[in-house]
Each structure stands twice: as structure tokens, then as C-alpha cells.
Amino acid sequence: MCEKKTLISSSIPMCAAHFLWRKKSASACLRAREVLLATNGYTTALNLRARAGVFPVGSYIIVTEPLPAALQAVLALEPQLIAWAQDFASKENALFLGRGAHYPIAQEGALKLKEISYIHAEAYAAGELKHGPLALVTSAMPVVTVAPNDALLEKLKSNMQEVRARGGELFVLADADTRIENSEGVHVIRMPEHYGVLSPILHVVPLQLLAYHTACARGTDVDKPRNLAKSVTVE
């Protein structure tokens, strides 16, 4: 997945088995939000094809048809994310949790937060919580949890209870039908209903918005993070 400024004749597309040329203007920063979303969409399509063998083109359209409206619903949550960002702006550490396909989404949220707000943020698979990360949980460390309504939801709820039992403050992105409610120490933003294989695409957007608004609240340069470069020149 390359931006418009990448030449089709350059080494990256020539070495790639599959190449998508993203016709978009050049960005000033290494935060590749659009590339991540496009890659998610592409890998989701590949995943569907792998599950079903030969997958008719029309089926791709049926599966992804709800995506534009669902993304608009997620973007409408921005005022709530701005409120979260005001709390995060005063923090120096944050923990992100996800399970299954949503663990990489938690990793993306932690990466973006550390890149542009300079808050130390780490992501863990929620099932590994007891193997070290739980020792870091205090009331001063917000714990962001990606909570889709999938087969792993009940196990994730158990992890959330462990965080609360140690005085941790939870910030939960929960699908509409998860029955996770706001309570003391638990802040919930209600996502649209669960969209199956499209869920990771929807959950990554609020995490990126959270990082952006937290960085703005801290007064950092979101377009040119310190110590980072667009290209790697040293190993």
C-alpha cells in the first residue's frame, strides 16, 4: 500500500506480490492513518476470500455495503472522544487491551498515542493481562479496552473486572449490544452494533481520533512528531 508520491517503478511496488497505489496527496507526518484503514479493508477482503474459497465479487459488495454508514456513525462520536482526550492529556502512561483480531487494533491505538502525544502507551493481548501488565495498573494509568460483541466478549469482561479490582480506570469502546455500561471508573463510548469482519476497521477510527485530540490538548505538533522521520536511513 503506497501513497501517490511513490513511483510505480520504485523498488517497493516492483518487489510486492500485490500492489495498491493510493491516489492521495502526500502527508507531512509518518502517521499513516489512511494506509492502515485501506490495508485493513484489503486484508479483510483477502480473509473473506480465504474463508469461502472462490468468493464472488458481488459478495464483497454485500459484506462491505454497511461500512460507509457505520464509519459515519463512528465519526459522530468525536465529541465524546474529545472529552476523553482532556482526561488523557494529563497522563504520562496508558494501557491498551484487545483480544483476537482486535489486539492489533489496540496496538495501533497505543502506537498513535505515543507517536504524537508523547504519552508512554503500550498494548497487550487482554488474555496476557495477568502475565505482567496487571502489575502496572493504578488509578493514574488509563486502560483503553476494545470491546466488540464477538466470541471473546465474556473473557474480555473478566479482564475488565480485574482492572477495576486494582483501582484501574477503564475507557471502553463497546459495541452497542455488549451490555457494558458506564459506572464508577468505567467510561463507555457506544459503538454501532457489531459488524463482524468489518469490526476492526470501525474500532481503529476512534483510537486514532483519541490520539489526535490528546496531542492537540497537550500542544504537540501532530504533523511532525519529534525524533521521527518519513524514511528509515539507518539500521
Side-chain angles (χ1 to χ4, degrees):
M1 182 72 62
C2 294
E3 296 186 4
K4 183 176 180 179
K5 62 183 180 179
T6 303
L7 297 176
I8 295 180
S9 59
S10 65
S11 59
I12 294 176
M14 290 179 67
C15 292
H18 302 280
F19 176 68
L20 293 181
W21 190 45
R22 194 172 63 90
K23 296 183 178 181
K24 187 179 182 303
S25 58
S27 59
C29 167
L30 131 146
R31 297 175 299 112
R33 175 176 61 199
E34 301 88 352
V35 171
L36 178 95
L37 285 173
T39 304
N40 269 340
Y42 183 55
T43 53
T44 296
L46 292 179
N47 182 37
L48 290 170
R49 181 165 184 162
R51 289 183 183 184
V54 179
F55 206 73
V57 175
S59 298
Y60 285 109
I61 298 174
I62 293 172
V63 171
T64 59
E65 187 176 11
L67 190 57
L71 283 171
Q72 287 300 319
V74 172
L75 291 172
L77 302 172
E78 189 167 11
Q80 298 179 60
L81 293 162
I82 293 174
W84 278 16
Q86 298 304 313
D87 291 333
F88 274 70
S90 62
K91 307 295 185 182
E92 294 303 325
N93 300 282
L95 190 63
F96 288 71
L97 299 177
R99 275 184 173 270
H102 293 79
Y103 168 46
I105 303 307
Q107 289 180 306
E108 164 68 6
L111 176 63
K112 290 299 181 283
L113 189 67
K114 73 175 72 172
E115 275 186 342
I116 61 175
S117 72
Y118 314 146
I119 294 173
H120 173 233
E122 299 296 338
Y124 289 90
E128 300 176 2
L129 190 61
K130 285 188 175 180
H131 300 282
L134 197 58
L136 301 174
V137 173
T138 68
S139 58
M141 176 182 282
V143 179
V144 180
T145 307
V146 182
N149 187 20
D150 58 13
L152 298 172
L153 177 61
E154 293 306 316
K155 292 183 178 180
L156 184 65
K157 287 181 178 180
S158 176
N159 299 136
M160 293 167 56
Q161 291 173 355
E162 291 176 332
V163 170
R164 284 299 299 138
R166 275 96 180 154
E169 189 171 12
L170 285 162
F171 293 80
V172 187
L173 294 170
D175 283 354
D177 41 5
T178 56
R179 298 182 181 178
I180 300 174
E181 304 294 340
N182 284 291
S183 60
E184 183 180 357
V186 181
H187 312 278
V188 180
I189 289 182
R190 193 71 59 200
M191 299 282 289
E193 72 254 29
H194 187 57
Y195 277 97
V197 292
L198 300 179
S199 179
I201 301 176
L202 299 179
H203 277 271
V204 78
V205 174
L207 294 179
Q208 292 169 334
L209 287 173
L210 175 62
Y212 170 76
H213 287 295
T214 300
C216 291
R218 288 169 67 95
T220 60
D221 189 340
V222 298
D223 288 317
K224 295 181 180 179
R226 68 187 181 195
N227 304 334
L228 301 181
K230 286 291 288 185
S231 61
V232 178
T233 55
V234 293
E235 294 184 358

